[in-house]
Amino acid sequence: MPELPDLEVLKANLTPRIVDRTVRGVEVRSPAFLKTVTPPLAELVGRKAMGVDRRGKYLLLLFQGGLRFIIHLMRWGWIWHGSSSYAPTRATLFRLALDDGMDVRVIESGSQRLARGWLLAGDAPGPEAGLGLEPLDPEFTLEAFRQVLSGKRRQLKRLLVDQKLIAGIGNAYADEILFQARLSPFRYSHTLDDGEVVRLHQAIPDTLRWAIGEIRNRLGGELFEREVRDFLWVHGRVGKPCRVCGTPIEEVLLGGQRTDYCPLCQNVNRPLT
Ligand SMILES: [Zn+2]
């Protein structure tokens, strides 16, 4: 599933492809994709794209007149940009035809079709309402992070992926952040001492910014079909030697999610409760 770093690079690379382009047509090819009824999609036709934004794991396409089209790619979705003359495949859920003869399409293979879209006008609250702090924004201060932790007794892995607390971090980058902070995914948030809170707070933007750079180096200006993850330290590396200490990376299911960690570097201290 794309997470904050993937979506930041997607946002940057999609922007020059759509800004100042006018919408020629829209088509929903998978009925479950569109979650809103009003305003009707036809409202987009004739409007100019003003920008691309991101909030948490949502991608926001911004149009003239305050319309925003919000996309959540979920697990397997991706964005395709290419000539409108290419016939859409069965995996195409949605297409936006632009006045330069190009399409922006939401593609998802497989039978599940989990990617979703919303068209919203003005200040109407969308699915991004209620998301927690943006970890790359100036608002993500140590004090704000302390507030997030305050009164909670949550395992760190579960806490980091809770979109209502901090937005944009998923399974992969929660593992990477905890490795960077040298903290066990099993640790409970209320057991952290001051130094550990500072370390974890710092590791969040540091890890995400590092990942954005790595992804950008690999993709250049292209759009991804699969997330680029070959540079990660622990996630997806179960059984392989830790790049720091050589211990094989271990994997457990935590809250139903694959959690990868180094049992030595992250000093696992399995809780009794
Ligand atoms: Zn290690």
Side-chain angles (χ1 to χ4, degrees):
M1 177 187 281
E3 301 183 25
L4 187 152
D6 310 298
L7 290 166
E8 273 297 305
V9 177
L10 177 59
K11 177 180 94 172
N13 292 355
L14 194 57
T15 298
R17 289 171 162 87
I18 76 159
V19 166
D20 288 340
R21 299 263 65 93
T22 298
V23 177
R24 236 174 3 97
V26 277
E27 184 187 10
V28 172
R29 299 176 57 87
S30 172
F33 173 75
L34 188 65
K35 299 287 285 175
T36 49
V37 180
T38 27
L41 265 189
E43 282 284 313
L44 282 176
V45 177
R47 290 193 198 242
K48 195 181 270 190
M50 310 299 288
V52 182
D53 208 350
R54 179 199 59 77
R55 179 80 174 93
K57 297 183 202 168
Y58 295 93
L59 194 66
L60 285 68
L61 311 185
L62 308 172
F63 295 92
Q64 241 174 354
L67 284 189
R68 63 195 200 281
F69 193 76
I70 303 178
I71 299 167
H72 196 305
L73 294 170
M74 296 298 291
R75 200 169 171 77
W76 303 115
W78 54 280
I79 301 278
W80 180 88
H81 176 264
S83 170
S84 303
S85 64
Y86 286 110
T89 63
R90 286 186 56 214
T92 304
L93 309 187
F94 173 78
R95 61 187 293 217
L96 190 70
L98 303 173
D99 63 352
D100 58 351
M102 304 293 267
D103 268 16
V104 172
R105 298 180 188 173
V106 178
I107 311 278
E108 186 174 352
S109 303
S111 55
Q112 282 194 298
R113 308 288 172 90
L114 297 173
R116 293 291 179 262
W118 295 257
L119 179 62
L120 294 154
D123 296 332
E128 80 278 33
L131 288 176
L133 297 171
E134 278 294 334
L136 299 185
D137 281 3
E139 65 176 9
F140 190 69
T141 60
L142 180 58
E143 187 47 41
F145 184 58
R146 285 204 174 101
Q147 286 295 318
V148 166
L149 298 180
S150 172
K152 301 206 177 51
R153 293 167 174 260
R154 305 269 294 276
Q155 281 178 309
L156 295 180
K157 172 68 185 267
R158 291 177 181 229
L159 185 133
L160 288 177
V161 298
D162 186 337
Q163 302 301 300
K164 294 191 195 72
L165 302 178
I166 304 170
I169 301 168
N171 207 22
Y173 287 103
D175 286 357
E176 294 300 306
I177 288 163
L178 289 169
F179 180 78
Q180 175 79 26
R182 299 295 189 266
L183 289 167
S184 160
F186 309 111
R187 278 287 293 280
Y188 276 79
S189 51
H190 66 283
T191 70
L192 298 181
D193 64 29
D194 276 352
E196 289 170 327
V197 170
V198 170
R199 223 160 70 212
L200 181 56
H201 170 256
Q202 191 59 48
I204 293 170
D206 282 359
T207 302
L208 297 171
R209 286 206 175 90
W210 159 75
I212 290 169
E214 295 289 332
I215 296 168
R216 195 172 281 148
N217 284 343
R218 285 158 176 79
L219 283 183
E222 298 303 312
L223 309 181
F224 63 85
E225 291 183 31
R226 280 276 151 83
E227 300 88 52
V228 182
R229 297 270 162 90
D230 62 296
F231 54 88
L232 300 185
W233 291 82
V234 287
H235 191 80
R237 297 195 65 244
V238 58
K240 294 183 178 154
C242 171
R243 292 188 181 130
V244 173
C245 73
T247 306
I249 300 298
E250 291 191 1
E251 180 168 277
V252 292
L253 279 179
L254 201 59
Q257 291 191 307
R258 237 178 55 190
T259 294
D260 300 338
Y261 64 100
C262 173
L264 189 61
C265 291
Q266 293 174 260
N267 185 27
V268 173
N269 178 19
R270 284 171 196 267
L272 297 173
T273 54

